[in-house]
Amino acid sequence: MSVLTAGFIAALALMIATLAAGLKPYISVLASLTLFSVVAYGPAFPVVWWRAVNQGFLVTFASLVAAMYLAELYRGSAVSKQVVESLESVSPRLAGVSIPAVIGLLPMPGGAYVSATLVNDVYERADLNPEEKTFLNFWFRHIWITVWPLYQGVIIASYITGMDVREISLNNIPITLASVASGLPFLFYFMRPRNPVKRRGLRGLVHLWPFVSIAVLNLVLNINVFFSVLITILAYTLVYRVKLEHHARALKYSLNPHILVLVAASLVYGYAISESGLAYELGGLLRPVEVSIFAVTALIVVATGFEFTFSSIAFPVFRPYLNPANVFYGFLGGFTGSMLSPVHACLVLSAEFYKANLRRVYRYLLPATALSVVTGLILKMAL
């Protein structure tokens, strides 16, 4: 085992140990990043960190801040309650999963914070504890990440493998089916049947237009996510005549220093791993190739916290082996890493909003993810 690989394992162990000890996630990831960087780059590591602050870094960082800003504006309005009540009047369980799932169709950085703010009242009325809320919101927000054509991981994989986006999406359907099947038992256990809710109709769903706006601006008009969210915030302000104090509150929420440090450190971590050549070393250590692809993609995402990094960092290493079957293993590994990474911004944002203990959230995440992997493999063989 090389010094670089040993350093990466030690950095991951440090992250897990510090989180288990109760340290804040941003402290854990900073400590892990620093250890890995010193091992990989020696005294030159500050230069690598500086180079990581590139255009992609700035766009992602700004998009996250803008998304949190819009989420807080929306959460504090009466219209968001109308949306939730419309879905809840059909079924509280439907609202509990559909709100995170709908928001999941918009691949915004930190999008789980948006759904967390919207679905909280449903979870409150169902008497869920903070860890149950965090799990359901985070889990169902990410059921699309391996099949929805808007996710960066799917787009990057198409470029690297030469497979059509549609082909990749169809290839990965077993993962999405497995994730839904693995999350539903927790939903039915957490949200027990209760007295019927008053029927309110579905007219409140018209107030979902801000998310449709972002999708149209980003997908149809090809405006990047940051400016799409900014334009939507402006339109939202004009349509609903948002008061200045509401904007001030949204600004405060969007500039949470703990979250911003965590996101910045995670982005730098991804760059440092990519530049170090670690993925090549890990790929040579594990055999057979299917195991290697699964393990490396999962580890990369666990370390960086961003689901698209498995395709941008790990897939180039395995390019000669990336037939459709192995691409499936890569996405399955990427999904696994996404759901288990302690520095995944969506998980941290959800836990922060609900005031949840992350260690307790893993009591649900670990079995659900394991069940998803097994179920996904079975479905892949069956379909």
Side-chain angles (χ1 to χ4, degrees), residues 66-76 113-115 117-118:
M68 290 178 65
Y69 191 105
L70 175 61
E72 182 58 25
L73 274 186
Y74 198 82
R75 184 193 70 81
Y113 182 85
V114 179
S115 55
T117 61
L118 294 179

Side-chain angles (χ1 to χ4, degrees), residues 81-358:
K81 293 179 174 59
Q82 293 177 37
V83 171
V84 172
E85 288 170 354
S86 291
L87 288 170
E88 193 179 16
S89 70
V90 178
S91 165
R93 285 171 172 164
L94 173 65
V97 299
S98 63
I99 293 171
V102 167
I103 301 303
L105 294 173
L106 298 174
M108 299 183 297
Y113 182 85
V114 179
S115 55
T117 61
L118 294 179
V119 78
N120 186 46
D121 286 345
V122 175
Y123 293 161
E124 281 287 315
R125 285 189 283 273
D127 294 324
L128 269 62
N129 65 43
E131 290 73 32
E132 292 168 345
K133 295 178 185 178
T134 300
F135 170 80
L136 289 179
N137 178 64
F138 175 66
W139 188 267
F140 286 99
R141 161 70 173 77
H142 292 88
I143 59 175
W144 312 112
I145 63 174
T146 63
V147 296
W148 188 238
L150 305 187
Y151 275 96
Q152 299 99 319
V154 175
I155 296 169
I156 294 169
S158 175
Y159 171 77
I160 292 172
T161 64
M163 294 172 64
D164 183 71
V165 167
R166 181 175 178 274
E167 184 183 0
I168 290 175
S169 297
L170 292 174
N171 191 54
N172 292 333
I173 283 176
I175 303 175
T176 294
L177 294 177
S179 65
V180 173
S182 301
L184 287 178
F186 293 90
L187 170 73
F188 282 89
Y189 180 73
F190 295 158
M191 299 186 70
R192 304 296 177 89
R194 56 185 178 83
N195 294 331
V197 192
K198 180 181 177 182
R199 294 283 174 178
R200 300 175 183 271
L202 300 178
R203 286 179 297 178
L205 298 184
V206 70
H207 297 297
L208 286 171
W209 70 262
F211 306 109
V212 177
S213 166
I214 294 170
V216 170
L217 291 169
N218 182 235
L219 305 178
V220 180
L221 302 181
N222 202 30
I223 299 172
N224 73 41
V225 174
F226 174 67
F227 288 109
S228 296
V229 176
L230 277 189
I231 293 169
T232 302
I233 289 172
L234 177 60
Y236 184 89
T237 300
L238 295 174
V239 169
Y240 296 118
R241 299 178 182 179
V242 181
K243 295 179 180 180
L244 186 60
E245 58 261 34
H246 294 159
H247 279 287
R249 184 182 62 199
L251 182 63
K252 179 181 178 181
Y253 269 84
S254 66
L255 296 180
N256 182 319
H258 292 179
I259 299 299
L260 297 185
V261 170
L262 173 64
V263 172
S266 298
L267 288 170
V268 172
Y269 213 150
Y271 183 87
I273 288 174
S274 178
E275 292 295 301
S276 70
L278 173 68
Y280 288 90
E281 289 200 7
L282 291 177
L285 285 175
L286 301 170
R287 288 291 184 269
V289 69
E290 294 85 358
V291 173
S292 182
I293 291 172
F294 175 85
V296 172
T297 51
L299 283 172
I300 292 295
V301 182
V302 166
T304 63
F306 288 90
E307 57 258 16
F308 63 85
T309 54
F310 76 88
S311 55
S312 61
I313 297 175
F315 269 20
V317 178
F318 299 104
R319 184 178 292 172
Y321 306 100
L322 291 181
N323 55 45
N326 287 338
V327 167
F328 172 83
Y329 291 121
F331 271 92
L332 186 61
F335 173 81
T336 301
S338 295
M339 305 317 291
L340 295 181
S341 173
V343 293
H344 190 150
C346 285
L347 176 60
V348 176
L349 286 168
S350 294
E352 183 89 6
F353 178 78
Y354 292 127
K355 309 300 181 188
N357 183 309
L358 270 180

